[in-house]
Amino acid sequence: MNPSRFQKELEALEIDLTSTQETQLNRYYELLIEWNERMNLTGITEKEQVYLKHFYDSATLQKVIDLNQVTTLCDVGTGAGFPGLVLKILFPKLKVTLVDSLQKRIHFLDQVIQELELTDIQTVHARAEEFAKEHIEQYDVVTARAVATLPILLEYCMPMVKKDGYFIPMKANAKEELEQSTHALQVLHGSVEKVQEFSLPIEESHRTLVKIKKEESCPKRYPRKYSEMKKRPL
């Protein structure tokens, strides 16, 4: 996806890209490639592919929620900053928290944040389940992109969502995982408000956004397990 196509696709999402944001995204790409030579941040390095599969893909969260109306967002298992850091660039008023279990990735994110002179964004080195215990109902939106199966993500992420807020996992395909999540949704007071399926431009790879609303407050404690989970850091 070249820059002109990228801008055009963002306009379709009602995102107007400024010259400052263009510069920030380009520098983000340069840092991603520089750091990727020292550590494994992404297997995608060609610029047009990064803009399509990382930058534009991150922006598609806007398809199911107007991020101009959101105050706080938490990206769980953010990796190299997708989607959270991209969303912070595109929606500067967002207050963003990036959570990841690998310290090296946090160092990279801190460097990008510093160089792009971003404010109201913090990085946290923590496992998702541990972070969640200390941040019950603190975010308007929690998201996670291709991190774990939906039943696991629900247990880790839903407690952090405010009442009437949203958990929006970003998936390739989600039909089977949704079928496996009925009990988890009930326990965690979540209801699926929208399932948005679409294809990325150019390559036509399948994507799914699941918009899950937090209908009721959870007890002020971390909910006990309701499913068999494979323990792994997010």
Side-chain angles (χ1 to χ4, degrees):
M1 180 177 283
N2 60 40
S4 61
R5 179 66 183 272
F6 178 68
Q7 186 162 354
K8 181 180 178 181
E9 295 293 344
L10 288 187
E11 288 173 358
L13 296 174
E14 300 184 347
I15 301 172
D16 295 321
L17 195 66
T18 67
S19 58
T20 297
Q21 291 166 328
E22 287 183 48
T23 300
Q24 289 176 324
L25 287 169
N26 186 66
R27 183 55 183 152
Y28 185 4
Y29 168 74
E30 291 174 346
L31 288 167
L32 179 70
I33 300 307
E34 290 173 17
W35 280 66
N36 204 54
E37 293 178 356
R38 290 175 273 161
M39 57 182 291
N40 182 27
L41 289 169
T42 178
I44 301 169
T45 56
E46 183 184 343
K47 189 169 186 176
E48 291 191 356
Q49 290 294 301
V50 170
Y51 269 71
L52 172 63
K53 295 184 178 180
H54 288 326
F55 292 174
Y56 173 75
D57 192 29
S58 295
T60 60
L61 200 73
Q62 178 76 353
K63 284 179 176 287
V64 296
I65 190 166
D66 183 1
L67 291 167
N68 292 296
Q69 305 302 316
V70 173
T71 301
T72 55
L73 180 143
C74 181
D75 179 12
V76 175
T78 188
F82 313 124
L85 187 46
V86 175
L87 295 176
K88 175 60 186 178
I89 294 170
L90 297 177
F91 300 90
K93 293 181 180 180
L94 271 181
K95 296 180 180 179
V96 174
T97 300
L98 306 175
V99 181
D100 199 86
S101 63
L102 187 62
Q103 185 68 65
K104 289 182 180 180
R105 287 195 289 257
I106 295 295
H107 287 325
F108 164 72
L109 296 169
D110 287 338
Q111 183 67 35
V112 177
I113 290 167
Q114 179 180 345
E115 290 216 18
L116 301 189
E117 299 182 345
L118 302 176
T119 59
D120 282 333
I121 181 169
Q122 65 170 331
T123 60
V124 180
H125 174 225
R127 291 170 61 108
E129 61 268 40
E130 295 302 320
F131 181 79
K133 292 177 184 178
E134 306 300 324
H135 296 83
I136 301 293
E137 296 188 359
Q138 291 194 12
Y139 299 99
D140 300 316
V141 173
V142 177
T143 188
R145 176 177 178 257
V147 174
T149 61
L150 186 54
I152 293 174
L153 285 175
L154 284 166
E155 180 163 356
Y156 291 169
C157 296
M158 281 297 288
M160 293 188 279
V161 179
K162 294 178 180 179
K163 182 180 180 296
D164 296 323
Y166 293 94
F167 170 48
I168 310 176
M170 308 180 77
K171 293 282 185 177
N173 294 288
K175 183 177 180 181
E176 184 177 344
E177 292 182 21
L178 275 168
E179 292 173 354
Q180 298 168 350
S181 300
T182 303
H183 182 55
L185 287 166
Q186 181 180 3
V187 170
L188 295 166
H189 310 298
S191 65
V192 177
E193 190 170 284
K194 187 174 186 178
V195 178
Q196 178 77 52
E197 297 187 73
F198 61 97
S199 297
L200 286 184
I202 304 171
E203 68 166 30
E204 299 295 320
S205 56
H206 190 77
R207 294 290 187 271
T208 305
L209 300 171
V210 185
K211 188 179 184 184
I212 302 169
K213 186 175 182 179
K214 179 79 157 286
E215 298 286 0
E216 298 178 28
S217 293
C218 287
K220 293 301 180 181
R221 61 178 177 80
Y222 198 58
R224 64 186 182 87
K225 298 180 182 64
Y226 56 80
S227 63
E228 292 294 322
M229 285 195 314
K230 180 180 178 182
K231 287 291 186 181
R232 74 184 191 93
L234 301 185

